[in-house]
Amino acid sequence: MVVAYFLLPLDQLGPQRPLLSWVLFALLLTVVAVLLLRQIRHVLLDRPESRPGVVISLLIVLSVHVFSATYYALAKQPGEFNGLHTRVDALYFTVVTLATVGYGDITPRGQAARVVTVLQITYSFVFLTAAATALTTRMRDRVVGRTDRGRRH
């Protein structure tokens, strides 16, 4: 996924194709959110055939890359960001925002950049937190189940 992020033709997005850029962003975020919700449902229903550890982890990484690509494309518009020039900068800003660290070396200045940043924070609180909670609950239940079985034998 990381390799794809650095190889995708992201320079074709941004101010040259704003409609395509926004549609792709919305579509990808929606698809990731739906897939996350599906995995959460599988955990809540305790479907033994599901692999939420792998799928949820991959979807979280995918969502980070969707936001990174969006920030990179937005940064091509003058006035949207201070300090964001490369794909690495965009990935760094996404992770710093996700971690709520906020170093301040890259700042969203334009309205579109601020809207996407608010969306990332909201998306993280709603979808990524729910997915991580479901995953840790499942893992805890499995460990407790194994411990209980071990005590009975």
Side-chain angles (χ1 to χ4, degrees), residues 34-101:
V34 167
L35 292 173
L36 280 169
L37 290 171
R38 185 171 180 242
Q39 288 302 308
I40 292 167
R41 191 179 85 222
H42 286 187
V43 169
L44 294 174
L45 296 175
D46 197 25
R47 294 222 169 120
E49 74 279 359
S50 68
R51 305 294 253 178
V54 173
V55 178
I56 288 174
S57 299
L58 287 172
L59 290 170
I60 289 171
V61 170
L62 180 58
S63 69
V64 166
H65 285 92
V66 168
F67 278 105
S68 296
T70 302
Y71 291 136
Y72 180 72
L74 271 174
K76 299 203 174 307
Q77 180 72 33
E80 287 296 332
F81 277 98
N82 281 351
L84 198 156
H85 306 289
T86 68
R87 291 176 196 230
V88 172
D89 291 341
L91 188 56
Y92 164 81
F93 178 74
T94 304
V95 172
V96 166
T97 301
L98 179 64
T100 68
V101 176

Side-chain angles (χ1 to χ4, degrees), residues 6 58 64 146-147:
F6 284 100
L58 287 172
V64 166
R146 286 183 188 152
T147 304

